[in-house]
């Protein structure tokens, strides 16, 4: 009887082992939509024209024509892949010369990032990847004598390296921090960013988060295009894991 009990227990463990292994190797997917109250400060220029950039979050929202921000994370026990997409279409109008001249400015900005990470400890990952940046600006200056339109654009790719830290604070809350730097003269002379978020596990599949993101880009190319700008601000998001 004792031998039969031992054999049954061994069989139960043998059958359970593959199930546990399968559960531990599950691949999880998370999609998130988020909202960022961004501000922009720095210097931008095209050709001989260079000026200061100083847009508060309220000014960005005032001039925002369309914006979309979303990210994806696919996660296995030892590695993960992520993608992040930010698009902003900004437009503004102004007058000068005693009201006799007016200007209309349109700017389209894309930030598309793809990374891969390797989990070194349960909470720490080494991260590497690429970020694509695309900027296009059109300025239409209207005067009584004539209308002039000027356009400038640039796009580049930055290699990135960094780290991600995901700390469980309780059953309901967690803290996630990611820091990256790169460029190295391939795209930007130098770029770095940090993203810190407090997450609330609203359910087994839904997370709500608040946090802050800071992105610094220092880019310049032949022809006089310059983008030495910091974009930063608080953010809030909602994600679904399946």
């Amino acid at each position: 009887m004792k031998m039969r009990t031992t054999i049954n227990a061994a069989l139960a463990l043998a059958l359970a082992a593959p199930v546990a292994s399968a559960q531990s190797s599950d691949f999880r997917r998370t999609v998130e939509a988020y909202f960022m109250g961004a501000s922009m400060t720095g210097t931008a220029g095209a050709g001989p024209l260079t000026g200061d950039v100083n847009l508060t979050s309220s000014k960005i929202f005032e001039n925002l024509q369309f914006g979309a921000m979303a990210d994806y994370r696919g996660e296995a026990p030892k590695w993960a892949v992520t993608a992040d997409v930010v698009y902003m279409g900004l437009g503004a109008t102004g007058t000068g010369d005693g009201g006799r001249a007016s200007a209309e400015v349109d700017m389209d900005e894309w930030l598309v990032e793809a990374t891969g990470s390797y989990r070194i400890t349960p909470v720490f990952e080494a991260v590497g990847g690429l970020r694509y940046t695309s900027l296009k600006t059109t300025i239409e200056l209207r005067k009584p004598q004539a209308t002039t339109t000027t356009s400038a654009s640039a796009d580049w790719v930055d290699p990135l390296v960094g780290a991600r830290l995901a700390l469980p604070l309780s059953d309901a809350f967690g803290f996630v921090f990611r820091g990256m730097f790169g460029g190295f003269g391939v795209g930007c002379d130098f770029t770095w960013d940090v993203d810190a978020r407090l997450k609330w596990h609203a359910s087994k599949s839904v997370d709500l988060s608040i946090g802050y993101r800071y992105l610094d880009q220092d880019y310049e190319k032949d022809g006089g295009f310059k983008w030495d700008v910091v974009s930063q601000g608080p953010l809030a998001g909602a994600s679904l894991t399946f």
Side-chain angles (χ1 to χ4, degrees):
M1 186 68 177
K2 196 170 186 179
M3 178 66 72
R4 182 179 295 174
T5 301
T6 302
I7 292 173
N8 289 340
L11 285 172
L13 287 172
L15 291 171
V19 175
S21 177
Q23 290 175 344
S24 65
S25 62
D26 282 346
F27 186 78
R28 300 192 307 160
R29 301 166 181 85
T30 301
V31 291
E32 179 185 42
Y34 64 95
F35 168 86
M36 182 174 172
S39 64
M40 293 181 179
T41 55
T43 303
L49 300 177
T50 300
D52 293 333
V53 177
N54 187 11
L55 287 174
T56 62
S57 58
S58 61
K59 285 294 183 182
I60 287 180
F61 296 141
E62 181 182 320
N63 298 322
L64 184 65
Q65 296 171 332
F66 182 78
M69 301 173 187
D71 59 44
Y72 165 85
R73 177 176 170 88
E75 184 175 8
K78 293 298 292 183
W79 57 270
V81 291
T82 67
D84 183 75
V85 179
V86 174
Y87 170 75
M88 285 194 297
L90 301 172
T93 59
T95 60
D97 195 18
R100 289 174 294 180
S102 64
E104 183 172 324
V105 180
D106 287 294
M107 187 186 83
D108 292 315
E109 179 181 26
W110 281 95
L111 294 171
V112 182
E113 188 175 288
T115 65
S117 62
Y118 181 78
R119 183 170 286 111
I120 297 173
T121 74
V123 299
F124 182 80
E125 299 173 17
V127 186
L130 300 170
R131 181 192 300 122
Y132 169 75
T133 302
S134 174
L135 294 167
K136 183 178 181 180
T137 302
T138 301
I139 302 173
E140 186 175 281
L141 180 63
R142 304 186 189 96
K143 294 184 178 181
Q145 301 86 355
T147 297
T148 305
T149 301
T150 303
S151 296
S153 63
D155 59 279
W156 66 90
V157 176
D158 291 311
L160 303 169
V161 294
R164 180 179 185 269
L165 184 67
L167 293 174
L169 302 179
S170 68
D171 290 340
F173 292 95
F175 175 75
V176 179
F177 175 88
R178 197 196 72 157
M180 304 288 287
F181 66 94
F184 310 117
V186 177
C188 287
D189 292 333
F190 187 72
T191 180
W192 67 279
D193 74 280
V194 292
D195 186 322
R197 307 189 191 194
L198 178 67
K199 293 197 171 187
W200 173 48
H201 310 306
S203 71
K204 294 182 75 171
S205 57
V206 175
D207 282 358
L208 303 177
S209 63
I210 57 172
Y212 200 89
R213 186 175 185 183
Y214 184 103
L215 170 63
D216 188 343
Q217 293 177 293
D218 183 3
Y219 174 81
E220 191 168 359
K221 75 171 185 179
D222 295 338
F225 191 94
K226 183 179 179 64
W227 184 255
D228 186 5
V229 173
V230 170
S231 303
Q232 62 176 315
L235 56 84
S239 64
L240 176 67
T241 299
F242 53 95

